[in-house]
Amino acid sequence: MDGHNSPPSHPSPPEQPERRGSFSYDIENTDAVWRGAHTASEALLRYDDEGPRQPLLRKRTTNTTSQIAIVGANVCPIESLDYEIVENDLIKQDWRSRKKKQIFQYIVLKWSLVLLIGLCTGLVGFFNNLAVENIAGFKLLLTSDLMLKQRYFTAFLAYGGCNLVLAASAAAICAYIAPAAAGSGIPEVKAYLNGIDAYAILAPSTLFVKIFGSILGVSAGFVLGKEGPMVHTGACIANLLGQGGSRKYHLTCNWLRYFKNDRDRRDLITCGSAAGVAAAFRAPVGGVLFALEEAASWWRSALLWRTFFTTAVVAVVLRGLIGFCRSGKCGLFGQGGLIMFDLSATIPTYTTQDIIAIIVLGVIGGVFGGLFNFLLDRILRAYSFINEKGAPYKILLTITISIITSACSYGLPWLAPCTPCPVDAVEQCPTIGRSGNFKNFQCPPGHYNGLASLFFNTNDDAIRNLFSSGTENEFHMSTLFVFFTAIYCLGLVTYGIAVPSGLFIPVILAGATYGRIVGTLLGPISDLDPGLFALLGAASFLGGTMRMTVSVCVILLELTNDLLMLPLVMLVLLISKTIADSFNKGVYDQIIVMKGMPFLEAHAEPYMRHLVAGDVVSGPLISFSGVERVGNIVQALRITGHNGFPVVDEPPLSEAPELVGLVLRSHLLVLLKGKGFMKDKLKTSGSFVLKRFGAFDFAKAGSGKGLKIEDLDFTDEEMDMYVDLHPITNTSPYTVVETMSLAKAAVLFRALGLRHLLVVPKTPGRPPIVGILTRHDFMPEHVLGLFPNLRKSH
C-alpha cells in the first residue's frame, strides 16, 4: 500500500517502503530506531547496537527513548501509559454483569484509597521532619558545645565528619538500591501524569530510598530541600496502594483489582503528588493547585474533590502530630521543621515606591532564575560523565560536595564580624542551642554572628530567620551578599548528586536573601519590613526558576499566614515568570528534556500546522486478521515491541476489508496463555473467551509483572492453529483521517491521554488503515528528522 497523496503545499514525505501487512510501533523499547527500518531483524540489530547506548544527558540528535536518572542510572526502556477506556465484548459483558454492590464497593474503595494516601503521606512527612530535626539538632548541638569550649578544629571535624557520614549513607542507598530516587522527583511525577512510565520511578524501592535518603541528605547539611522528594514520595505511596501492593515484597491485596488500570492509578498519583506538597509546606490548598498547575496533564472536577480531600487529611494529620510534639515529647522537634512563618503581625501598607521596588525584585528574580536554569543544565550534563562510571563515583561526587558544603557553612561565618546583641531583642541573644536568630559561634558574650545564624542552622530555620520581621539591622549587607553567593552556587552544584534533593528550599533561601538585600537598600524610601521583602524575593526566584504562579502564590500565603500580601506576591510572580520565560524553560521542564522523556506539551509546535497526520506515519505496520494464526501472532510479538495492533477483517470474514479495532499486546498474551485455539479459521461468538476469562484477567499488572512472550511455549501443532481476536479487540479506538493537521492530532492525542491513534484513509477503495500515531510521532526529533527543511523555520 502506498502512502497518502500530500497536498502540494505540504513538504513531501520521505519515501516509505510498501506496506504489506505493515507494522505499527509505540514509544516503548525499540521505537526510535524502528522507524525507517525495513525489516524486523534490521530494527532489532540497530536497537541493540546504537539505541540505548547513548548517554541521555549529553546533547544528541536522536531520541533514544531511554531514561537515565540524573545520577546516571542504567539505561531503561520508557513505556507509554494508556488512559483510553477499552471497549470490547469482554469489558462490556463485565459492566453489564456488575451489580450495584460492586459499583458501590468501587466508589467506597476510591475514597478510602485517597484517605489512606493522605494519612500515609502526612505520617511520612511528619516522620521526615522529626528525624531531620533530631539528627541535625544533635549534630549542631555537638558542634556548638565544642565551640563553647574553644575547641574549634575539633568542632569542625565533628561537624564535617557527621555531614560526611550522613551524605555517604544517603548516596550509597541511592546509588545501589534505587538510582531513580535521586533528584527532586517532580519531573518524574509530571512525566508519569503526562503518560510516560519510566522504569522504577514509582517502585517500592524508590519510595524507601526517597524517604530515608531525603532524611540523611537534609540532615547532612546539603543545600537542598525535602519538599520536592515529598511530592515523589506521595506519588510512590499512591502507586503502591493503587496497584494492590507489591507481589515482590509480598504486600498484595486482591480487593484492589478495580484499580489495575492506568486511568485510576493516574488519578491516585495526582492525589499523591498534591498530598506531598501539603505535607511539605503545610499548604493543603497549595497542594491542590500544584497538582493542577504543574503536575497533572489531565484534570476533571471529580478529581478536584478527591485531591482536596486528600490534602485536607494531610493537614489534619500534621496539625495533630505537631500539637502532640509541642509538649516536648519529640526530642529536638519543636518550633522547627515543617516550615511555617507567621508574618501576619506585619501589616503592609504599600506606596508607589514600594510597587517600583517590587517590580525591580521581579526583574531580578526572572534574570537570576533564567541564569540558574541555564547553569543547572550545564552542571547536570557535566555530572552525567561522572555518574555514568558507576555507583562508587556517584558516592565520591556526593562526598566531595559534602566536604565543600561543610567547609563553606563552617568556614564562611569566620569572615563575618561579631555584632552586639540588640537591646530590644524579643528572643534570647545569643541563642543558646540550635534554633534562633542570634548564633554565638565564636563571638564573645553579648554578641552574635549574623552569617552563622544563616549557615549554622537547618535550612528551615535559616528561612525563618530571613523572613523574621522587626529585624532591620540584624544582618549586615556583607553577610547577606556572602550568604546569597554561597547558597546560589551550592544549590547549583548539589542538585544532581546521588541524593534525593528538592529545589524549593535552595531557591527560597537565595530569593529571600536578595529580597532582604533589596529591602535593606530601599529602607530609607520604603515602609515595608525587610522580612516582607524576603518573602517577595523568594516568590520572585520561585517564579523565575519553576515558572509556577498560582500554586506558588498560595503556598507562600499559606506558609506566612499573610493574605494582605496577595497582590504583591501575584505581581512579583507574574513579572519574574515573564522575564525568565524569554530565556529558557522552567527547571522541571528542562530536566524532563535532559532525561529524554517524550513529554507532550499542551500546545502543538508551530511547524506541525504545515504537516498532516499521514506525513509522519511510517511503516512497516503489522495488522492481524480477526481470526489469526497463532504462529503469526507469536512471531509478531517476538520480533517487535509493539503494544497495539490493528485488527482488520477481510473476506470471507467480512464483505469488504474493514477495520475491526485495536488489540493490545498484554491482552494477546493473556489470550495466548489460555490456549483457546481452533483448527479452522472460523469466526466464533466468543463464548470460549467470555467463559474462560473475566475482565480482571486482562487488567494491568503491577510494575514489571506483566506476561512476556518469552514466558509462553507452544507446540508446532498449536502454532498452526487459529485464535479469534474479536472478543478482546477494542472496537472503538480513536481514529483520525490522514489529512488532519499534525498539530490538531497532537492536541487531540494529549487531551485524551492516548497511547495509540489510528490513521484512516481519506479516499475509499484503499486498505482501511494507513498507520498508527504514537507518542513518538509527535516528538520534535522524529518530525524534524523526517522533514529537515522545517528546522529553518523551527
Side-chain angles (χ1 to χ4, degrees):
M1 179 178 79
D2 297 328
H4 75 288
N5 297 320
S6 300
S9 59
H10 294 159
S12 57
E15 186 176 349
Q16 298 179 7
E18 184 180 355
R19 296 188 183 116
R20 296 179 186 147
S22 37
F23 277 77
S24 97
Y25 201 47
D26 194 21
I27 191 70
E28 310 59 343
N29 304 332
T30 59
D31 183 34
V33 292
W34 175 266
R35 303 287 181 175
H38 290 219
T39 66
S41 59
E42 180 188 349
L44 295 176
L45 177 66
R46 291 170 62 187
Y47 171 72
D48 289 339
D49 288 347
E50 69 184 61
R53 304 289 170 86
Q54 300 175 25
L56 206 63
L57 292 178
R58 301 181 198 165
K59 291 193 174 180
R60 61 200 188 285
T61 55
T62 59
N63 180 7
T64 63
T65 67
S66 302
Q67 186 250 1
I68 301 179
I70 272 186
V71 293
N74 292 330
V75 176
C76 308
I78 287 180
E79 293 202 3
S80 293
L81 299 168
D82 194 354
Y83 299 139
E84 182 179 356
I85 297 176
V86 173
E87 292 184 345
N88 56 34
D89 294 343
L90 197 69
I91 302 296
K92 290 176 183 176
Q93 179 72 19
D94 174 68
W95 276 104
R96 279 196 295 267
S97 62
R98 191 169 289 185
K99 301 176 182 177
K100 289 184 178 179
K101 178 182 176 182
Q102 292 174 309
I103 296 173
F104 177 75
Q105 184 184 19
Y106 169 71
I107 295 171
V108 170
L109 282 174
K110 187 179 290 187
W111 284 95
S112 300
L113 277 178
V114 296
L115 172 65
L116 282 173
I117 291 168
L119 286 172
C120 293
T121 307
L123 289 171
V124 169
F126 176 76
F127 171 72
N128 278 11
N129 283 274
L130 181 65
V132 167
E133 292 287 308
N134 279 280
I135 295 172
F138 170 79
K139 174 190 69 178
L140 293 170
L141 283 173
L142 174 64
T143 310
S144 296
D145 289 342
L146 289 169
M147 292 191 74
L148 288 173
K149 298 174 184 177
Q150 297 188 348
R151 297 168 61 184
Y152 299 121
F153 185 70
T154 308
F156 173 68
L157 290 179
Y159 180 71
C162 289
N163 285 346
L164 200 63
V165 171
L166 292 168
S169 302
I173 64 171
C174 187
Y176 286 107
I177 298 177
S184 167
I186 292 178
E188 286 84 350
V189 174
K190 185 175 178 178
Y192 185 95
L193 295 177
N194 189 258
I196 303 165
D197 187 15
Y199 177 76
I201 59 174
L202 297 175
S205 58
T206 304
L207 173 61
F208 171 82
V209 174
K210 209 74 184 182
I211 295 172
F212 291 98
S214 178
I215 290 171
L216 293 169
V218 175
S219 302
F222 283 122
V223 181
L224 51 82
K226 52 189 178 293
E227 285 66 27
M230 270 307 303
V231 175
H232 197 174
T233 298
C236 288
I237 291 170
N239 181 64
L240 187 63
L241 292 172
Q243 67 181 12
S246 168
R247 292 182 185 275
K248 182 178 178 182
Y249 299 99
H250 305 291
L251 300 169
T252 56
C253 241
N254 287 330
W255 50 271
L256 289 176
R257 62 188 186 276
Y258 292 112
F259 299 91
K260 290 184 178 292
N261 61 81
D262 290 333
R263 192 179 183 87
D264 282 315
R265 286 182 192 169
R266 174 193 65 188
D267 290 351
L268 291 176
I269 289 167
T270 303
C271 293
S273 65
V277 174
F281 292 108
R282 290 167 65 186
V285 179
V288 175
L289 293 174
F290 172 85
L292 171 61
E293 180 183 9
E294 182 66 11
S297 293
W298 299 278
W299 198 262
R300 306 192 313 277
S301 57
L303 184 57
L304 177 66
W305 279 102
R306 286 196 290 276
T307 308
F308 187 70
F309 174 68
T310 309
T311 57
V313 171
V314 172
V316 170
V317 169
L318 290 178
R319 190 174 186 85
L321 291 172
I322 291 171
F324 171 77
C325 280
R326 283 190 177 142
S327 60
K329 298 177 181 178
C330 299
L332 297 173
F333 185 93
Q335 295 297 324
L338 290 167
I339 52 177
M340 192 76 178
F341 322 104
D342 193 350
L343 299 181
S344 56
T346 308
I347 301 175
T349 54
Y350 33 90
T351 60
T352 306
Q353 295 95 320
D354 298 327
I355 298 296
I356 294 172
I358 289 161
I359 292 173
V360 171
L361 266 182
V363 173
I364 293 173
V367 173
F368 278 153
L371 179 63
F372 187 91
N373 292 359
F374 172 79
L375 294 174
L376 188 65
D377 180 278
R378 295 297 179 269
I379 289 170
L380 292 179
R381 292 183 187 277
Y383 278 0
S384 69
F385 289 93
I386 301 171
N387 292 328
E388 280 173 356
K389 296 180 180 180
Y393 288 87
K394 300 175 188 178
I395 298 172
L396 184 62
L397 176 61
T398 305
I399 289 174
T400 304
I401 301 300
S402 174
I403 293 171
I404 294 172
T405 304
S406 297
C408 289
S409 54
Y410 187 88
L412 289 177
W414 290 89
L415 304 177
C418 290
T419 308
C421 287
V423 180
D424 56 346
V426 178
E427 60 180 86
Q428 186 181 18
C429 177
T431 304
I432 304 300
R434 180 176 59 85
S435 298
N437 285 43
F438 307 104
K439 283 289 184 181
N440 177 258
F441 207 63
Q442 89 290 7
C443 294
H447 293 70
Y448 72 94
N449 186 315
L451 202 50
S453 300
L454 299 175
F455 267 123
F456 218 61
N457 253 322
T458 61
N459 292 331
D460 290 3
D461 287 332
I463 296 173
R464 188 171 289 104
N465 292 346
L466 288 168
F467 279 17
S468 60
S469 57
T471 54
E472 291 85 353
N473 302 313
E474 179 181 344
F475 301 107
H476 293 284
M477 288 296 291
S478 59
T479 294
L480 294 173
F481 274 112
V482 170
F483 185 71
F484 170 72
T485 305
I487 289 298
Y488 194 92
C489 296
L490 287 174
L492 283 168
V493 299
T494 303
Y495 193 86
I497 60 175
V499 173
S501 52
L503 282 171
F504 271 100
I505 292 301
V507 168
I508 291 175
L509 272 173
T513 306
Y514 73 67
R516 190 172 264 270
I517 291 173
V518 172
T520 304
L521 291 173
L522 299 179
I525 63 170
S526 174
D527 296 328
L528 292 182
D529 188 274
L532 296 181
F533 270 106
L535 168 66
L536 294 169
S540 71
F541 203 18
L542 284 168
T545 53
M546 300 178 183
R547 315 294 160 83
M548 293 183 286
T549 52
V550 179
S551 54
V552 166
C553 182
V554 173
I555 287 171
L556 289 174
L557 293 178
E558 289 186 279
L559 274 177
T560 57
N561 193 27
D562 194 353
L563 192 60
L564 294 174
M565 290 293 289
L566 177 62
L568 302 183
V569 175
M570 290 174 64
L571 178 62
V572 79
L573 278 168
L574 289 171
I575 294 171
S576 62
K577 182 186 185 303
T578 304
I579 296 292
D581 278 340
S582 63
F583 296 113
N584 45 38
K585 289 185 174 183
V587 63
Y588 298 132
D589 294 322
Q590 281 191 177
I591 293 171
I592 287 173
V593 172
M594 280 189 283
K595 289 193 172 187
M597 293 180 173
F599 190 88
L600 288 175
E601 300 290 349
H603 59 276
E605 298 292 342
Y607 58 80
M608 289 186 178
R609 291 195 292 268
H610 304 296
L611 300 170
V612 294
D615 285 333
V616 297
V617 170
S618 51
L621 167 79
I622 286 184
S623 60
F624 293 136
S625 172
V627 180
E628 186 59 83
R629 182 174 167 270
V630 173
N632 292 344
I633 299 174
V634 172
Q635 180 69 5
L637 295 179
R638 283 177 178 168
I639 67 171
T640 72
H642 303 7
N643 280 274
F645 301 87
V647 177
V648 177
D649 271 349
E650 296 182 351
L653 296 177
S654 61
E655 294 182 0
E658 65 176 24
L659 176 64
V660 178
L662 187 79
V663 65
L664 301 180
R665 167 184 282 265
S666 58
H667 293 183
L668 285 172
L669 290 170
V670 173
L671 188 62
L672 290 175
K673 186 180 180 182
K675 296 194 175 182
F677 305 146
M678 307 175 294
K679 291 186 178 180
D680 300 317
K681 189 174 182 178
L682 298 173
K683 184 175 181 179
T684 66
S685 62
S687 57
F688 166 79
V689 175
L690 296 176
K691 290 178 182 177
R692 172 70 176 78
F693 298 100
F696 292 124
D697 294 321
F698 294 89
K700 183 172 181 176
S703 303
K705 298 298 180 185
L707 273 175
K708 296 180 175 59
I709 188 62
E710 293 80 10
D711 302 331
L712 305 179
D713 293 318
F714 303 96
T715 64
D716 291 340
E717 183 182 0
E718 288 173 335
M719 294 286 273
D720 286 328
M721 297 179 75
Y722 293 88
V723 61
D724 190 355
L725 302 182
H726 290 94
I728 64 166
T729 300
N730 179 11
T731 55
S732 58
Y734 286 97
T735 60
V736 296
V737 70
E738 60 183 341
T739 52
M740 177 184 282
S741 74
L742 189 62
K744 193 173 182 179
V747 172
L748 176 70
F749 191 93
R750 184 187 189 274
L752 295 174
L754 301 181
R755 186 173 190 172
H756 311 95
L757 183 59
L758 277 59
V759 181
V760 296
K762 174 77 172 178
T763 55
R766 297 165 58 191
I769 182 168
V770 174
I772 295 183
L773 291 174
T774 61
R775 182 175 292 266
H776 169 78
D777 293 298
F778 301 105
M779 293 297 107
E781 295 90 344
H782 174 64
V783 178
L784 297 175
L786 290 175
F787 304 99
N789 57 312
L790 291 175
R791 291 182 183 274
K792 297 177 182 178
S793 59
H794 178 44

